[in-house]
């Protein structure tokens, strides 16, 4: 036997023992490895949100990639959750819509309080046995706040009113930061230019952009709806006391 074979043989035996141990543990109900947010579906998109001069613009591309194949070019990855609240996602579509539904429930519990709703969703997402298996990351925004919410319990509010997620997110954010101070460019102009740069750079991002916008007028309407909801709740509580 050659020296090289004598050297590698113990290493191969050690690897084989480790694989056998893992197989036995799995058969006997050993703890399964936690799902981590590393799938290609989680990375293969670009979502960008920009706030400037009272306008909030959320823009995403429409490409869905499965491995090395583009399976659909026009998926809608952003939506209006409530009046004055918009959201976008990167990751598994079904998981993202489940989380949007949970966020709507939290907003109904806390009308007009996106920050509290986002924190409550992140807590549930991290602690709930079912929700923690969902593979997605979200961007949600109202007229005053923009948050990135992840399954790790993170609720991140960006500095400067710019946030991006997905494989092309860093490219889009870098471009948006370079454009944000240019006079005459609106939030929509910045998003469009930055997303175009991301689409030209990232192979998982195309040029079929879908946009949701919050204007100052939308924010006032949302505040009015929230105030009306609070008044209704207060009246119902008074009736119950009587």
């Amino acid at each position: 036997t050659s020296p090289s074979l004598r050297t590698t043989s113990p290493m191969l035996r050690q690897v084989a023992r480790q694989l056998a141990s893992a197989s036995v543990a799995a058969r006997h109900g050993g703890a399964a490895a936690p799902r981590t947010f590393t799938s290609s579906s989680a990375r293969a998109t670009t979502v960008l949100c920009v706030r400037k001069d009272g306008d909030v613009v959320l823009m995403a591309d429409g490409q869905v990639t499965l491995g090395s194949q583009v399976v659909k070019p026009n998926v809608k990855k952003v939506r209006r959750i409530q009046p004055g609240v918009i959201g976008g996602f990167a990751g598994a579509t079904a998981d993202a819509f489940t989380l949007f539904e949970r966020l709507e429930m939290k907003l109904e519990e806390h009308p007009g309080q996106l920050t509290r709703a986002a924190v409550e969703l992140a807590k549930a997402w991290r602690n709930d046995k079912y929700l923690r298996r969902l593979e997605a990351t979200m961007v949600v925004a109202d007229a005053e706040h923009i948050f990135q919410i992840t399954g790790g319990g993170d609720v991140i509010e960006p500095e400067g009113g710019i946030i991006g997620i997905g494989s092309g997110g860093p490219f889009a954010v870098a471009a948006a930061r370079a454009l944000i101070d240019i006079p005459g460019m609106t939030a929509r102009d910045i998003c469009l230019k930055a997303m175009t740069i991301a689409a030209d750079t990232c192979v998982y991002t195309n040029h079929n952009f879908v946009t949701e916008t919050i204007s100052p007028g939308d924010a006032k309407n949302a505040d009015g709806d929230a105030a009306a909801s609070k008044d209704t709740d207060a009246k119902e509580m008074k009736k119950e006391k009587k």
Side-chain angles (χ1 to χ4, degrees):
T1 306
S2 66
S4 60
L5 289 177
R6 287 197 299 270
T7 303
T8 57
S9 181
M11 296 174 60
L12 292 174
R13 286 198 294 270
Q14 182 179 1
V15 171
R17 284 196 297 269
Q18 291 175 348
L19 291 173
S21 300
S23 177
V24 170
R27 286 199 300 270
H28 291 281
R35 289 178 70 186
T36 56
F37 187 60
T38 58
S39 66
S40 61
S41 64
R43 298 191 298 270
T45 190
T46 302
V47 181
L48 177 67
C49 189
V50 174
R51 183 177 65 242
K52 182 179 181 181
D53 298 333
D55 290 325
V56 180
V57 177
L58 181 63
M59 189 176 291
D61 78 303
Q63 180 169 305
V64 174
T65 309
L66 186 61
S68 60
Q69 299 179 2
V70 177
V71 295
K72 196 169 183 180
N74 58 348
V75 171
K76 185 176 181 182
K77 303 172 187 176
V78 298
R79 60 176 294 192
R80 188 168 297 273
I81 302 172
Q82 283 189 353
V85 181
I86 55 180
F89 71 90
T93 303
D95 292 354
F97 275 86
T98 299
L99 293 166
F100 277 138
E101 291 174 0
R102 292 298 184 108
L103 181 60
E104 287 185 49
M105 294 170 57
K106 298 300 181 184
L107 285 168
E108 289 174 359
E109 294 174 10
H110 312 290
Q113 303 179 61
L114 179 61
T115 302
R116 184 171 180 182
V119 171
E120 293 296 326
L121 174 63
K123 287 165 58 178
W125 193 351
R126 180 176 176 83
N127 297 324
D128 188 271
K129 185 176 180 180
Y130 167 69
L131 290 181
R132 72 172 63 143
R133 292 181 172 272
L134 302 182
E135 290 192 356
T137 186
M138 303 170 61
V139 171
V140 295
D142 61 11
E144 298 179 357
H145 304 285
I146 302 172
F147 297 111
Q148 178 182 348
I149 310 174
T150 72
D154 300 317
V155 180
I156 303 168
E157 184 170 14
E159 184 179 0
I162 301 171
I163 196 166
I165 59 174
S167 56
F171 307 122
V173 169
R177 286 178 176 169
L179 299 169
I180 193 71
D181 294 326
I182 296 178
M185 289 198 73
T186 65
R188 184 181 181 85
D189 295 335
I190 293 169
C191 266
L192 183 58
K193 182 62 176 177
M195 286 292 294
T196 300
I197 292 171
D200 290 340
T201 308
C202 175
V203 296
Y204 297 110
T205 303
N206 67 11
H207 292 81
N208 293 336
F209 305 140
V210 180
T211 307
E212 288 287 351
T213 304
I214 300 174
S215 64
D218 296 334
K220 291 179 181 178
N221 293 334
D223 291 340
D225 293 341
S229 177
K230 289 180 180 179
D231 291 340
T232 302
D233 293 341
K235 290 177 182 178
E236 289 178 355
M237 290 178 64
K238 288 181 179 178
K239 289 180 181 178
E240 289 176 359
K241 289 180 180 180
K242 289 181 180 179

